[in-house]
Amino acid sequence: MIRLEARNQTSRTLLFWSPILAVGITVIAGTIMFALLGKAPIRAIAIIFLEPLGDIFSIAEIVVKATPLILIAVGLSFGFKAGIWNIGAEGQFTIGALSGGSVALALYQIDGAWVLPLMCLAGAVGGMLWAAIPAFLKTRYNANEILVSLMLTYVAVLLLSALVHGPLKDPDGMNFPESRIFHDAATLPILIEGTRAHVGFVTAIVAVAISWLVLSRHIFGYQIKVLGQSQRAARFGGFNEKHVTWICLMISGGLAGLAGLFEAAGPVGQLVPALPVGYGFTAIIVAFLGRLNPLGILLGGFVMALTYIGGESAQIELNLPSAVTGVFQGMLLFFLLGIDVLANYKIRMTQPLSRKLSE
Amino acid sequence: MKTPILLELSEITKTFPGVKANNDISFSIKPGEIHALLGENGAGKSTLVKIIYGIMQPDHGQMFFGEKLYKPSEPFEARANGIGMVFQHFSLFEALTVAENIELGINKEAASKDLNRQISEISETYGLPVDPIQRIGSLSVGECQRVEVVRCLLQKPRLLIMDEPTSVLTPQESHLLFQTLTKLSQDGCSILYISHKLEEIRMLCERATVLRDGKVVAQCSPREESARSLAKMMIGSNLKTPQPSKPAFGEKRLSVNGLSINSTNPLGTSLCNLVFEVRAGEILGIAGVAGNGQTELFEVLSGERTVDKNMVQLDHRLVGHEGPTKRRELGMCCIPEERVGHAVVPDMSLWENCILSARTRQKLERNGFLNIPASHNFAEKIVENFNVKTPSVKRDVRSLSGGNLQKFIVGREMLQNPRILVIMQPTWGVDAAAAADIHFALNELAETGTAILTISQDLDELIAISNSFAVISEGRLSEPRPTINVTIEEIGLLMGKTSHFEKNEQNDPP
């Protein structure tokens, strides 16, 4: 029988290096997988992990993908640190896109520098309202936020689809389930000419900086840390668990909503049913890859975005199935969690009980 | 003729870091006898039964069960040998039925097809009414215990261990349980009955083994002893002479006026009309066996559990409804019993842990931001004044040893110049030198005019440091009186008292 036994002392070194180690093992496992599939393994790895870094267009695409991942993951890290598990960022992302996008459509062809900020506000508030449902149910009725937030994701996705098929449909769109394409004043300015990298990325960097400050220097970050480690100590310290729950869910919901709006008003440029592509779920991996630390998340967001872009190139150049991206992301999380377990536990082989008795 | 022996313990010794939980324990249990294991908390009762039940293994010593060497390495083996145990905390799945729970918990051979019939049979024979198809979630605590007992009896044990069974029962349920146990013993099953309730033991048990500080201090026949003499054996008579109390104290600092609360936890204790006050310069000691309402009282005082405004008063303010932060602001500091995970967060550094409870009074928070230099300074001040051994205040608190950790926690609260200090188990697990330091510091603090409330299970300590003294038992508090007038016998009786008759009047179910 294999048994896990708690280590007396958590291996800090292992814990610190585990994200890097996980990336390394993922690359190795990927090589083996490609070899088994009959593709040139080294070349495949190079296409996924190195080639996208070669030209400005690919780098800009990485930035486009990293922006929502970083924004959402930074928001999630607040709750995750405190032991509040918002798994429904995808839903908050969708509602953010929907509410911010609706503002854009309502103000169609109206120009003004205030249009975009208003959309951002609507997007963030939309995400917060969606996250307020699990927050209320948790603090009031002790409902499990994991289930509530996750299930609300499906509601949000279907709501977007229903509205885009109905009231938000482009009147001149030949009955396609799409909204109008947002007018210029409702579209995010581009950072690098000729690419899709948009100012949302700047917002993500600002969010990282502010989050770092709050988590490491502000009393609220302190409360989160205490609550995540011991509810009893938090109560002794005079911290209110319900307030922290609300604030954490508002931060993660707001940032996810903002990310959703950025996606709609940036690379996509309109509301479509396929807008939610799983950033909200991938961001969970990013948050853990970054050790719930905003700076780590910034890096983790880029690594994850790289697997998206690299996965796409692999599909095109090597005729690999699109599942390759998901496989890589899954392996990354799997190895990361595996190494974390080994940092806290060691493996011991034991005799089965029945044999011991018969001796 | 030699009397037959069912279980014999010979020189059992078990050492944990820093404490000898069981020291050379030898005694024996005869077939069909109800044998009491008596002792205060921390006397080593739990360790000993864990060894008998195979959860722990002794460092030295041997056990013989039915004359054969008995050396269980898992509870499974104990059960296979015919030893059953009912724990204080039940291991039942709430969503499953009684029968399903029983099936899960017994060895496969015993779980035959007509389990329901067997359950009914046992419950009839021994007066243990349980319904096999009911869900555990819908049962009372007493009924859950019955399920546990039935589960043990299904395996036809020769020895049944009961760990403080009545601590969770109403008086009526206790009475039923005693009838069952008596019937069982008449049928030849031995019972090892663990308790610190003296009246119960006198009623039920034929023999008793008394433990104190991990050693057997007496063997007796409880029916021939008085509750008073049993208390004396349990507590010991090595108590120091009380120091003369100071004649006069300052103004009233903390008063608790008719505090009654229901416990939120089924294994907790409800508090019933507590009244006391602590004046400036006074040290009030509250004694009692663990689990008699001390934790609940502490939570109400620290503000972790808020109550009616009028129930707690600091100086002239009614603060029952205020949380911990407001109370600290008003000058009240508290030291809980549990150190790791309550008083401190283990994976945070010493300076970060200062912020937890000292941020208000020491201004370790400025406009919502942490004042890191001030926190460092405060942590260093504690380390210096209280002689905490640590290489740096940046170290995680979990790296501190028990005694050093307690010095750090005590220092953190004392150096905030509290007007009122509530301290629970001030020196539990602390070596003698550190204990003396803490006692000295408490006395000094009282002399500067702080009102101190100490809740402890260590009678020596309470008598040595407190000016006034009260005992908490089953959520009720005896009237505080000057320590100098208290005798050991009185304390023992108050601590082990079973107030069944008082309780009956109020708690009778309709």
Side-chain angles (χ1 to χ4, degrees):
Chain A
M1 245 185 355
I2 299 173
R3 245 178 34 184
L4 285 178
E5 217 166 69
R7 284 181 197 262
N8 294 334
Q9 187 80 43
T10 305
S11 169
R12 290 282 166 100
T13 355
L14 203 54
L15 220 49
F16 181 81
W17 288 105
S18 68
I20 293 155
L21 214 57
V23 172
I25 300 176
T26 305
V27 169
I28 295 168
T31 318
I32 297 169
M33 183 181 77
F34 288 128
L36 290 175
L37 286 171
K39 311 278 175 192
I42 305 294
R43 168 140 170 72
I45 293 295
I47 287 175
I48 294 177
F49 285 96
L50 298 177
E51 222 158 78
L53 300 172
D55 64 292
I56 187 77
F57 180 76
S58 298
I59 290 176
E61 278 303 294
I62 291 175
V63 168
V64 170
K65 300 272 184 202
T67 299
L69 290 176
I70 292 168
L71 267 175
I72 300 170
V74 161
L76 290 178
S77 69
F78 281 86
F80 289 177
K81 260 186 183 305
I84 297 154
W85 305 102
N86 176 7
I87 305 298
E90 183 80 353
Q92 293 134 27
F93 173 94
T94 307
I95 295 297
L98 186 59
S99 48
S102 305
V103 171
L105 296 172
L107 301 174
Y108 189 59
Q109 296 301 26
I110 296 175
D111 283 335
W114 50 273
V115 173
L116 209 48
L118 189 67
M119 287 163 62
C120 292
L121 186 70
V125 169
M128 283 162 118
L129 285 176
W130 211 243
I133 301 170
F136 173 76
L137 293 177
K138 182 179 172 70
T139 51
R140 184 70 197 271
Y141 300 108
N142 203 19
N144 185 317
E145 76 279 14
I146 299 178
L147 291 176
V148 176
S149 63
L150 179 64
M151 290 190 291
L152 280 170
T153 299
Y154 306 110
V155 178
V157 172
L158 289 173
L159 185 65
L160 172 70
S161 181
L163 290 178
V164 172
H165 278 86
L168 298 181
K169 193 162 58 184
D170 183 356
D172 316 316
M174 303 198 287
N175 226 11
F176 277 110
E178 291 175 353
S179 77
R180 284 185 208 268
I181 293 183
F182 299 165
H183 60 292
D184 283 352
T187 308
L188 290 176
I190 295 297
L191 280 181
I192 307 166
E193 203 57 45
T195 70
R196 301 200 298 167
H198 53 81
V199 291
F201 182 64
V202 181
T203 321
I205 300 289
V206 173
V208 165
I210 294 175
S211 301
W212 178 82
L213 192 69
V214 170
L215 284 172
S216 66
R217 293 286 182 273
H218 195 267
I219 192 77
F220 180 66
Y222 182 83
Q223 290 183 20
I224 285 177
K225 238 170 119 182
V226 174
L227 188 65
Q229 291 191 36
S230 165
Q231 293 182 5
R232 240 177 131 200
R235 236 172 289 146
F236 174 69
F239 302 142
N240 187 327
E241 199 179 332
K242 289 185 177 174
H243 288 179
V244 177
T245 305
W246 266 102
I247 298 173
C248 283
L249 280 165
M250 288 305 96
I251 292 174
S252 55
L255 287 178
L258 195 60
L261 178 270
F262 284 166
E263 196 63 13
V268 178
Q270 64 184 140
L271 290 177
V272 292
L275 192 79
V277 290
Y279 287 131
F281 295 119
T282 312
I284 297 170
I285 309 181
V286 172
F288 282 102
L289 203 58
R291 299 270 86 148
L292 303 183
N293 175 322
L295 301 176
I297 286 169
L298 186 64
L299 270 174
F302 277 109
V303 170
M304 204 49 87
L306 183 66
T307 63
Y308 271 116
I309 306 299
E312 273 172 25
S313 339
Q315 286 172 48
I316 297 162
E317 295 192 29
L318 295 172
N319 282 325
L320 282 169
S322 64
V324 73
T325 312
V327 169
F328 266 93
Q329 293 175 352
M331 283 199 294
L332 202 52
L333 185 65
F334 176 80
F335 289 127
L336 183 73
L337 295 179
I339 294 166
D340 282 358
V341 169
L342 292 181
N344 286 304
Y345 297 89
K346 55 188 171 198
I347 296 175
R348 267 241 329 236
M349 311 295 280
T350 56
Q351 275 188 335
L353 196 62
S354 52
R355 192 178 313 155
K356 216 183 205 167
L357 267 184
S358 61
E359 265 167 20
Chain B
M1 199 187 83
K2 211 178 127 202
T3 359
I5 299 289
L6 180 70
L7 175 72
E8 176 158 13
L9 274 67
S10 163
E11 299 172 355
I12 297 287
T13 300
K14 176 84 184 173
T15 312
F16 295 114
V19 55
K20 241 181 184 167
N22 287 164
N23 190 353
D24 205 11
I25 292 184
S26 303
F27 69 94
S28 59
I29 301 173
K30 296 177 204 158
E33 110 177 308
I34 305 185
H35 193 112
L37 193 57
L38 183 65
E40 283 193 282
N41 273 75
K45 294 173 301 193
S46 302
T47 310
L48 190 62
V49 294
K50 279 181 186 162
I51 289 173
I52 298 176
Y53 197 55
I55 298 170
M56 283 180 190
Q57 282 69 46
D59 300 336
H60 302 289
Q62 290 177 313
M63 292 186 281
F64 298 92
F65 191 74
E67 315 242 305
K68 276 199 312 207
L69 182 65
Y70 166 66
K71 219 176 149 186
S73 58
E74 313 241 5
F76 176 72
E77 287 172 52
R79 287 199 293 271
N81 270 295
I83 297 183
M85 177 156 176
V86 176
F87 290 89
Q88 220 175 338
H89 302 266
F90 308 132
S91 43
L92 297 170
F93 295 100
E94 295 206 339
L96 300 181
T97 66
V98 170
E100 285 164 338
N101 265 290
I102 289 177
E103 199 175 346
L104 279 173
I106 60 181
N107 299 346
K108 276 189 201 112
E109 306 83 65
S112 63
K113 280 174 215 152
D114 49 357
L115 192 63
N116 282 8
R117 193 183 52 81
Q118 281 190 46
I119 294 174
S120 313
E121 251 177 45
I122 287 196
S123 64
E124 249 168 65
T125 320
Y126 293 105
L128 291 163
V130 290
D131 182 356
I133 56 165
Q134 260 198 312
R135 283 193 196 288
I136 295 293
S138 65
L139 301 184
S140 74
V141 184
E143 287 170 309
C144 290
Q145 190 181 54
R146 266 179 242 155
V147 175
E148 292 267 12
V149 175
V150 169
R151 176 151 82 181
C152 284
L153 295 186
L154 269 174
Q155 308 191 61
K156 308 198 171 50
R158 295 159 73 194
L159 172 66
L160 182 64
I161 306 173
M162 307 277 303
D163 189 3
E164 309 226 349
T166 54
S167 58
V168 293
L169 299 185
T170 67
Q172 291 80 0
E173 287 172 326
S174 302
H175 195 68
L176 272 177
L177 179 72
F178 295 159
Q179 287 177 348
T180 305
L181 295 181
T182 314
K183 178 91 174 50
L184 262 173
S185 97
Q186 283 162 2
D187 289 357
C189 176
S190 308
I191 292 157
L192 182 59
Y193 189 89
I194 299 152
S195 181
H196 52 72
K197 293 187 182 167
L198 307 171
E199 288 300 340
E200 256 174 48
I201 284 175
R202 289 187 58 222
M203 266 167 57
L204 190 68
C205 304
E206 289 141 46
R207 286 206 299 154
T209 298
V210 187
L211 295 187
R212 189 169 70 229
D213 296 331
K215 283 191 226 151
V216 176
V217 290
Q219 297 253 11
C220 62
S221 170
R223 285 174 194 162
E224 289 159 19
E225 301 286 336
S226 63
R228 181 167 298 217
S229 62
L230 283 175
K232 203 164 175 178
M233 288 180 212
M234 187 165 87
I235 296 164
S237 44
N238 56 342
L239 298 184
K240 291 173 206 150
T241 348
Q243 61 169 39
S245 59
K246 276 179 283 182
F249 302 115
E251 78 278 18
K252 198 167 70 180
R253 283 277 169 83
L254 166 69
S255 40
V256 167
N257 319 315
L259 168 65
S260 296
I261 52 160
N262 284 320
S263 176
T264 44
N265 167 352
L267 291 169
T269 309
S270 299
L271 298 180
C272 185
N273 197 23
L274 265 54
V275 179
F276 62 88
E277 56 180 53
V278 193
R279 287 160 292 170
E282 182 182 4
I283 304 182
L284 170 65
I286 294 185
V289 176
N292 274 292
Q294 291 96 325
T295 316
E296 288 78 4
L297 174 60
F298 179 85
E299 280 178 357
V300 167
L301 291 177
S302 72
E304 284 164 75
R305 177 164 177 182
T306 49
V307 290
D308 185 79
K309 190 175 165 185
N310 299 310
M311 287 181 180
V312 183
Q313 187 178 345
L314 297 186
D315 294 315
H316 299 293
R317 284 185 69 148
L318 297 171
V319 297
H321 61 299
E322 304 276 17
T325 309
K326 183 74 193 171
R327 293 193 195 188
R328 288 195 184 106
E329 202 177 291
L330 292 171
M332 178 150 152
C333 291
C334 297
I335 301 173
E337 166 180 30
E338 236 12 86
R339 287 159 205 168
V340 174
H342 193 181
V344 293
V345 184
D347 288 330
M348 283 185 166
S349 64
L350 270 70
W351 69 263
E352 283 176 296
N353 270 293
C354 288
I355 297 170
L356 187 67
S357 73
R359 63 181 187 285
T360 326
R361 290 181 75 72
Q362 294 299 312
K363 303 196 169 41
L364 305 183
E365 180 192 338
R366 224 172 16 199
N367 307 324
F369 282 88
L370 310 180
N371 188 344
I372 294 173
S375 308
H376 267 114
N377 289 341
F378 186 58
E380 260 150 27
K381 194 171 154 196
I382 299 169
V383 168
E384 200 175 306
N385 289 5
F386 280 78
N387 198 16
V388 181
K389 289 189 189 65
T390 179
S392 155
V393 296
K394 289 178 190 157
R395 278 298 192 91
D396 278 0
V397 152
R398 63 154 51 170
S399 69
L400 296 182
S401 71
N404 273 314
L405 179 56
Q406 181 68 353
K407 285 195 278 185
F408 171 72
I409 296 167
V410 169
R412 181 180 69 183
E413 306 305 327
M414 282 196 185
L415 287 179
Q416 296 186 45
N417 301 319
R419 290 173 63 77
I420 300 138
L421 181 74
V422 178
I423 179 166
M424 213 170 162
Q425 314 296 3
T427 58
W428 196 335
V430 165
D431 65 61
D437 285 351
I438 291 172
H439 288 164
F440 182 75
L442 279 170
N443 263 320
E444 227 181 21
L445 193 66
E447 266 162 34
T448 63
T450 301
I452 301 179
L453 174 68
T454 316
I455 305 172
S456 173
Q457 288 174 53
D458 185 341
L459 286 177
D460 288 353
E461 169 175 276
L462 284 180
I463 290 188
I465 63 171
S466 61
N467 323 110
S468 316
F469 192 91
V471 174
I472 191 166
S473 173
E474 298 186 359
R476 292 152 193 269
L477 192 73
S478 72
E479 198 177 321
R481 55 175 116 174
T483 310
I484 195 163
N485 297 336
V486 181
T487 63
I488 301 156
E489 280 83 6
E490 278 175 313
I491 300 169
L493 283 175
L494 286 168
M495 277 170 72
K497 180 171 83 171
T498 45
S499 41
H500 284 179
F501 301 103
E502 300 166 37
K503 250 186 165 177
N504 272 346
E505 289 158 21
Q506 288 159 23
N507 290 1
D508 257 343

